[in-house]
Amino acid sequence: MKQSDRDRSVRLLWAPPAEPTRGPKAALSQSRVVGAAMEVADAEGVDALTMRRVAEALGSTAMALYRHVPGKSELLDLMVDAAWGETERTPPGPWREGLEFFARQMWAMYRAHPWMLQLTTSRVMPGPHAMTRRDAAYAAVSQLGLRPEEIVAVVTAVAHHVDGVGRAMADRVRTERETGVSEEDWWTGREALWEHFTPDRLPMMTHIWNTGGFERPLDEFEFGLARLLDGLAVFLESGERPVVRRETCQ
Amino acid sequence: MKQSDRDRSVRLLWAPPAEPTRGPKAALSQSRVVGAAMEVADAEGVDALTMRRVAEALGSTAMALYRHVPGKSELLDLMVDAAWGETERTPPGPWREGLEFFARQMWAMYRAHPWMLQLTTSRVMPGPHAMTRRDAAYAAVSQLGLRPEEIVAVVTAVAHHVDGVGRAMADRVRTERETGVSEEDWWTGREALWEHFTPDRLPMMTHIWNTGGFERPLDEFEFGLARLLDGLAVFLESGERPVVRRETCQ
DNA sequence: ATCCAACTGTGTACAACGTATACGAGGTGT
DNA sequence: ACACCTCGTATACGTTGTACACAGTTGGAT
């Protein structure tokens, strides 16, 4: 059952079904359902993304969606891959420009569709768009004489950075929508919290707070990306590279 | 309503209610509920974490939990902070050792409690344990003459890396539990997917696959952390540091 | 000793969710 | 004209978080 579910998702993502010749003309279609679902999620967040809500956006009923999409989890898979489809493939070029391009494309995608980072980490049936984008990112570091597992590790490190920053960003967006209050106003209004910020318990926090360090934060995406690329440069341009095999996590 | 909910969470996290003098002796307690919930989530994943399931683990009923915890989302807040409470505070010392210590503590926490990374990014009411740990991490880079917002940016970059890698790790764990199949077996068994891995569409992917790059991956946590710390060293030890203000995302 | 108020855990109930099933209407191939 | 497939709809079921009313239990005030 789980097995067949997964295979169904694969087929759906990589080989969308041909449209039938018989029967009434469909008012809906898979791409319309996916598009409507993305609009709902963009505007109202993933919590509002119910089958009934998507159907409403299409002027239809919940069960009609099941003619075009096997279920909600497959719909999410399709939405994710559609979002990847909106990104551009990393063009050939120097490694640093390529990785930066890839990171910026992911970042733009997450900014446009923050719900992607709210999908728990569960949903990750890779679709063709996600795969081609990643393939192009691998290509960006393919001319450096790296071993294949190093190519994967380098691109993965960049992707993880964007994931991590995106997660925090998505949280800000969601909180602001839910509360209707801007991030900054909300935190300053949380007096029940600030009472506990005493120098003896949180010396650095209170110091940074008092000197305004929280009020003018650096750009997390840009800062972290620049550091990571600097660090990758050290690795890529050094003579002998250290090998780090996976031992953790199995 | 949302407002008061949040304040309730704050009070709950930072000032747990004194135990009452009257009334029957409680069979349950807030910490027992939180502990049972963590055990359920550790063993069965966040999907299995229902109020009824937690109650069952305690030999009680779902509604009994509400005497000790205001609701599920507050329970999650408490679980997250309890997990932070299991970590050690970063001890004083050189910046690189300190950041590495902090990253490894987070990593150990995520490995023990992968459900933390499945909680969508929604739940982030910071509790006292999370705050003291982060405060100690700030202290690790407090002697370098950084401006306060730079201190925040450096620690945040490290935390985001662990988040990003953790997310991928949690996904592996979840998939393996759900399917009962190891990560590697599952992927190799996904023939419906491999059919689409043709050199013309995914040249790098197929190349890396054929040369075994996916079979012996580098440790994502160690590799990315080493690169990031190298990049931070470039930043921290350079004379003039570039300033990157936040413009993106508001 | 008595009573009240606070507190405990339980049973029932409800709304919202994903979705299985059964249906009638619409359109193409034969 | 018929058979057959496909479409959208209506109804219904199980599961979820949790509001509410209730009954049993205890400590302090009287």
Side-chain angles (χ1 to χ4, degrees), chain B:
Chain B
M1 160 193 160
K2 273 289 187 298
Q3 184 90 345
S4 68
D5 279 2
R6 289 286 182 168
D7 283 344
R8 187 170 60 172
S9 259
V10 169
R11 267 192 299 279
L12 210 57
L13 282 162
W14 291 82
E19 59 181 284
T21 125
R22 316 236 247 193
K25 282 174 197 136
L28 270 44
S29 69
Q30 180 172 291
S31 63
R32 281 197 67 206
V33 171
V34 172
M38 289 178 76
E39 279 175 30
V40 169
D42 287 346
E44 304 170 33
V46 76
D47 291 337
L49 189 79
T50 67
M51 298 303 264
R52 288 168 175 84
R53 179 72 192 81
V54 175
E56 186 193 339
L58 288 163
S60 184
T61 65
M63 289 315 294
L65 306 183
Y66 287 86
R67 294 287 169 196
H68 306 273
V69 156
K72 189 177 184 181
S73 83
E74 288 84 357
L75 173 57
L76 292 171
D77 287 338
L78 290 165
M79 290 166 66
V80 168
D81 204 58
W84 276 102
E86 293 173 358
T87 67
E88 286 181 45
R89 297 182 59 160
T90 305
W95 70 266
R96 184 155 183 149
E97 279 76 359
L99 289 179
E100 204 171 319
F101 184 92
F102 177 64
R104 288 187 196 287
Q105 289 293 311
M106 275 187 76
W107 182 237
M109 177 181 76
Y110 285 152
R111 297 224 23 214
H113 307 297
W115 45 264
M116 294 182 77
L117 292 144
Q118 272 186 274
L119 292 187
T120 74
T121 176
S122 328
R123 327 256 79 265
V124 278
M125 174 59 65
H129 292 119
M131 282 297 191
T132 53
R133 302 311 183 268
R134 184 160 273 254
D135 196 86
Y138 288 151
V141 290
S142 63
Q143 304 299 322
L144 300 169
L146 296 174
R147 280 176 288 127
E149 60 269 32
E150 290 174 330
I151 295 176
V152 176
V154 167
V155 172
T156 301
V158 173
H160 282 164
H161 167 250
V162 187
D163 280 348
V165 180
R167 201 177 161 79
M169 181 270 298
D171 192 27
R172 268 197 296 277
V173 170
R174 191 199 51 81
T175 306
E176 294 191 7
R177 179 180 40 238
E178 276 193 6
T179 63
V181 181
S182 86
E183 172 82 359
E184 196 176 337
D185 291 351
W186 190 83
W187 281 107
T188 53
R190 223 46 327 106
E191 285 164 16
L193 184 55
W194 298 129
E195 292 174 5
H196 302 282
F197 272 55
T198 54
D200 56 324
R201 286 205 283 185
L202 300 171
M204 286 303 300
M205 286 268 180
T206 49
H207 171 252
I208 293 170
W209 174 261
N210 289 333
T211 52
F214 292 123
E215 289 168 27
R216 32 171 220 282
L218 303 191
D219 186 308
E220 297 175 359
F221 173 77
E222 296 294 343
F223 181 85
L225 181 60
R227 294 323 126 228
L228 180 58
L229 291 173
D230 283 351
L232 286 170
V234 173
F235 174 76
L236 295 170
E237 287 151 15
S238 78
E240 24 83 54
R241 302 192 199 87
V243 176
V244 188
R245 295 246 167 256
R246 186 198 297 182
E247 304 168 52
T248 49
C249 196
Q250 175 56 256

Side-chain angles (χ1 to χ4, degrees), chain A residues 20 24 27-28 60-61 63-64 67-68:
Chain A
L28 270 44
S60 184
T61 65
M63 289 316 294
R67 293 286 170 196
H68 305 274

